[in-house]
């Protein structure tokens, strides 16, 4: 596996550490339990890191010194990819290893995978986790956007990788719409959740373990990176609406923001954290919002169980692993109706889906759950059942089937051949631009072009 720009060992909630890190680590562990040996190659971001870290039976992270031993912009990683590829090859030669398959994660890793395939003839499975084209469609400013170079590389990988894994049918369709990708190369396999780690704990017990207030305190939780795309400002504005409409909640409504790298002083916060803190102050809810920084993953199951509602106000999520972790832990979720969240949450059953960037909609659904104990308890039970469909053993079965099919493509001289995925969704001959960007434009539902749409319901 290749995860060049970020390590599966990284502290979650940082600038480049999120659901993808969890995916890579947990998939490797599950494969290892099945006697499939996995090496995850990533670059070193600090001096003194061990080169090899065992993360489970038959699974290890191989950290390679490539470029400066420090975090830096993911786009700059491209400058050091030749060095990274050379070190991967040297490591394999030193240990006399031959890899049957390369599973590359994110577009940067895909570039390295293509170079390694030239050397080894090893087939590639590519997973993007997010798409630059979709990020650009919801970007509110140039600083949110992704580079043209990323778009070009994603297009190349969609043409040249032996198979592409999409996390949802919509993720696949967005590859077809935005990059003219060939549907027969793309297979839909969802991300997984570790249901042995993420499971319900009685709320009072979880709150006591975390030293959080017991009833009547109302707790709303956000978990994720602190960046504009995550829509945390929407949650803050929703909080302001709730305390305005329910003055009695001003003293016992608490929003916990888990993620980021809070320093000992406010002026050490990253720019987005400072902006959000200033927004909370200006909205008069600074005492209701608590930026607690990134937390150890061992604490997350307790945090999810301790809360009343988990909010996922993202502008874009290709899948949305936090929503699954929360549901597996017995927490109902109120989330934006975007990307993979539309698949992982059963609207009105295990949580609520609302328009993104709509504070009133978020405030309404969160307050509904906080007001209605019976509804909240019903959704808690349904959330656990829903999450079980995404347990890692089930997901890994699908991936192993794909690995077996792709590995058969291996030959001394690599040639591209269609994978032949069943049930491909064909790209439309002439797609309305409004339809392709319906999430950003907030078209009414149902879409007025639904009858002509090749992917009904998306």
């Amino acid at each position: 596996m290749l995860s060049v720009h970020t390590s599966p060992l990284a502290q979650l909630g940082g600038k480049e550490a999120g659901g993808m890190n969890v995916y890579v680590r947990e998939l490797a562990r599950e494969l290892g339990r099945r006697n499939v040996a996995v090496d995850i190659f990533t670059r070193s971001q600090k001096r003194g890191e061990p080169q090899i870290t065992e993360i489970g039976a038959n699974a290890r992270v191989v950290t390679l010194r490539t470029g400066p031993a420090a975090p830096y912009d993911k786009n700059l990683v491209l400058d050091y990819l030749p060095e990274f590829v050379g070190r991967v090859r040297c490591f394999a030669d030193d240990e006399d290893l031959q890899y049957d398959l390369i599973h590359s994660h994110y577009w940067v890793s895909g570039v390295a995978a293509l170079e390694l395939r030239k050397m080894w003839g090893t087939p590639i499975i590519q997973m993007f986790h997010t798409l630059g084209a979709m990020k650009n469609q919801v970007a509110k400013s140039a600083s949110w956007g992704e580079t043209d170079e990323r778009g070009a590389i994603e297009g190349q990988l969609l043409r040249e990788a032996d198979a592409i894994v999409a996390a949802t049918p919509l993720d696949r369709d967005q590859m077809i719409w935005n990059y003219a990708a060939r549907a027969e190369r793309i297979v839909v396999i969802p991300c997984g959740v570790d249901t042995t780690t993420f499971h319900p704990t009685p709320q009072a017990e979880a709150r006591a373990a975390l030293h959080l207030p017991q009833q009547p305190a109302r707790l709303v939780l956000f978990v994720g990176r602190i960046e504009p795309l995550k829509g945390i400002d929407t949650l803050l504005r929703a909080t302001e609406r709730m305390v305005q409409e329910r003055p009695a909640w001003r003293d016992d409504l608490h929003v916990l923001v888990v993620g980021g790298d809070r320093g000992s002083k406010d002026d050490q916060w990253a720019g987005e954290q400072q902006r959000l803190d200033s927004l909370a102050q200006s909205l008069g809810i600074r005492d209701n919002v608590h930026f607690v920084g990134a937390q150890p993953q061992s604490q997350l199951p307790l945090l999810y169980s301790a809360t009343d509602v988990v909010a996922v106000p993202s502008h874009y999520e290709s899948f949305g692993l936090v929503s699954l972790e929360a549901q597996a832990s017995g927490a109902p979720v109120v989330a934006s109706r975007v990307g993979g969240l539309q698949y992982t949450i059963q609207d009105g059953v295990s949580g609520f889906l609302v328009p993104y960037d709509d504070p009133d909609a978020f405030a309404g659904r969160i307050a509904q759950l906080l007001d209605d104990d019976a509804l909240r308890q019903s959704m808690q039970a349904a959330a656990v059942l829903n999450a079980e469909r995404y347990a890692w053993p089930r997901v890994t079965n699908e991936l192993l089937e794909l690995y077996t099919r792709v590995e058969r493509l291996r030959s001394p001289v690599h040639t591209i051949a269609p994978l032949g995925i069943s049930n491909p969704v064909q790209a439309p001959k002439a797609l309305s631009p409004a339809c392709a960007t319906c999430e950003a434009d907030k078209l009414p539902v149902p879409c007025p072009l639904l009858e002509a749409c090749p992917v009904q319901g998306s």
Side-chain angles (χ1 to χ4, degrees):
M1 290 195 193
L2 300 178
S3 182
V4 179
H5 82 292
T6 182
S7 171
L9 303 175
Q11 173 74 48
L12 298 181
K15 188 176 188 304
E16 300 290 355
M20 189 189 92
N21 304 66
V22 176
Y23 179 99
V24 172
R25 184 187 67 230
E26 295 307 318
L27 173 58
R29 284 175 171 167
E30 183 64 27
L31 289 168
R33 284 190 281 268
R34 301 182 188 212
N35 294 318
V36 178
V38 182
D39 283 343
I40 306 167
F41 290 96
T42 190
R43 75 170 194 87
S44 175
Q45 299 198 34
K46 60 183 179 181
R47 297 188 182 278
E49 289 182 288
Q51 184 180 54
I52 297 176
T53 303
E54 303 284 344
I55 60 170
N58 303 307
R60 58 187 184 172
V61 176
V62 182
T63 303
L64 302 175
R65 184 166 48 82
T66 303
Y72 50 84
D73 189 291
K74 60 182 180 289
N75 296 293
L76 299 179
V77 174
L78 292 174
D79 297 339
Y80 301 100
L81 275 183
E83 180 184 4
F84 182 86
V85 169
R87 291 188 182 276
V88 172
R89 186 176 184 182
C90 287
F91 180 89
D93 289 345
D94 288 345
E95 297 214 350
D96 195 25
L97 293 172
Q98 177 176 305
Y99 295 100
D100 298 302
L101 191 72
I102 299 171
H103 191 164
S104 51
H105 299 273
Y106 206 57
W107 61 280
V108 175
S109 297
V111 179
L114 291 175
E115 292 302 311
L116 289 168
R117 187 176 67 183
K118 291 177 185 177
M119 301 172 185
W120 294 338
T122 306
I124 300 168
I125 291 177
Q126 171 67 29
M127 189 167 184
F128 292 104
H129 295 274
T130 62
L131 292 170
M134 294 308 302
K135 283 192 169 185
N136 286 338
Q137 286 179 20
V138 300
K140 291 186 176 182
S141 68
S143 62
W144 288 35
E146 296 293 328
T147 64
D148 292 340
E149 185 175 30
R150 173 176 178 175
I153 289 171
E154 288 178 339
Q156 179 188 10
L157 289 166
L158 283 161
R159 291 189 301 272
E160 297 185 13
D162 298 282
I164 308 293
V165 175
T168 67
L170 181 58
D171 191 22
R172 176 180 60 181
D173 301 339
Q174 289 166 345
M175 295 175 193
I176 296 169
W177 290 336
N178 291 289
Y179 301 91
R182 293 170 57 185
E184 68 270 17
R185 289 185 178 276
I186 308 171
V187 61
V188 177
I189 301 176
C191 299
V193 63
D194 182 358
T195 54
T196 60
T197 297
F198 294 96
H199 56 81
T201 298
Q203 188 179 77
E205 180 182 329
R207 290 190 179 188
L210 296 169
H211 306 290
L212 294 173
Q214 299 288 347
Q215 297 296 342
R218 296 171 173 87
L219 295 184
V220 179
L221 179 67
F222 168 90
V223 175
R225 296 189 304 279
I226 309 300
E227 61 174 73
L229 200 67
K230 295 298 183 181
I232 303 171
D233 50 352
T234 301
L235 177 58
L236 300 188
R237 296 182 193 282
T239 302
E240 187 263 346
R241 307 287 203 275
M242 286 188 282
V243 297
Q244 287 289 341
E245 294 173 2
R246 296 167 173 79
W249 286 13
R250 184 167 290 279
D251 293 330
D252 68 358
L253 175 61
H254 300 277
V255 177
L256 304 182
V257 179
V258 174
D261 302 301
R262 180 173 181 175
S264 58
K265 297 180 180 179
D266 286 356
D267 60 7
Q268 294 176 318
W269 288 17
E272 178 66 3
Q273 290 176 301
Q274 292 177 344
R275 185 183 76 85
L276 292 169
D277 187 56
S278 296
L279 177 61
Q281 296 224 25
S282 68
L283 293 172
I285 56 168
R286 191 61 189 86
D287 292 337
N288 302 94
V289 180
H290 310 275
F291 296 91
V292 299
Q295 299 296 309
Q297 195 177 26
S298 60
Q299 295 287 83
L300 290 182
L302 287 173
L303 281 163
Y304 290 131
S305 292
T307 194
D308 295 304
V309 181
V310 172
V312 186
S314 304
H315 295 272
Y316 164 60
E317 289 284 355
S318 61
F319 187 75
L321 186 58
V322 164
S323 72
L324 270 189
E325 293 176 346
Q327 290 176 82
S329 304
V333 180
V334 178
S336 301
R337 190 186 295 275
V338 300
L341 297 169
Q342 300 171 88
Y343 297 87
T344 57
I345 297 168
Q346 295 174 306
D347 189 23
V349 179
S350 66
F352 287 118
L353 295 169
V354 300
Y356 83 92
D357 202 18
D358 189 334
D360 290 324
F362 269 92
R365 288 305 195 185
I366 292 172
Q368 182 180 356
L369 281 166
L370 294 176
D371 275 335
D372 192 333
D373 292 343
L375 174 64
R376 191 171 65 254
Q377 291 166 7
S378 171
M379 284 194 168
Q380 287 170 341
V384 175
L385 292 175
N386 183 49
E388 288 177 356
R389 300 186 300 145
Y390 299 90
W392 267 117
R394 293 187 179 187
V395 172
T396 304
N397 287 341
E398 297 185 49
L399 283 163
L400 278 173
E401 181 181 349
L402 177 63
Y403 285 177
T404 301
R405 295 165 64 188
V406 171
E407 201 274 331
R408 292 175 187 152
L409 299 175
R410 184 186 178 97
S411 64
V413 178
H414 184 85
T415 56
I416 298 292
L419 185 64
I421 300 299
S422 60
N423 299 321
V425 177
Q426 300 298 330
K429 293 181 179 179
L431 186 76
S432 161
C435 182
T437 60
C438 61
E439 290 177 26
D441 291 345
K442 298 184 181 177
L443 285 185
V445 176
C447 172
L449 303 179
L450 184 61
E451 291 183 2
C453 181
V455 194
Q456 289 205 20
S458 294

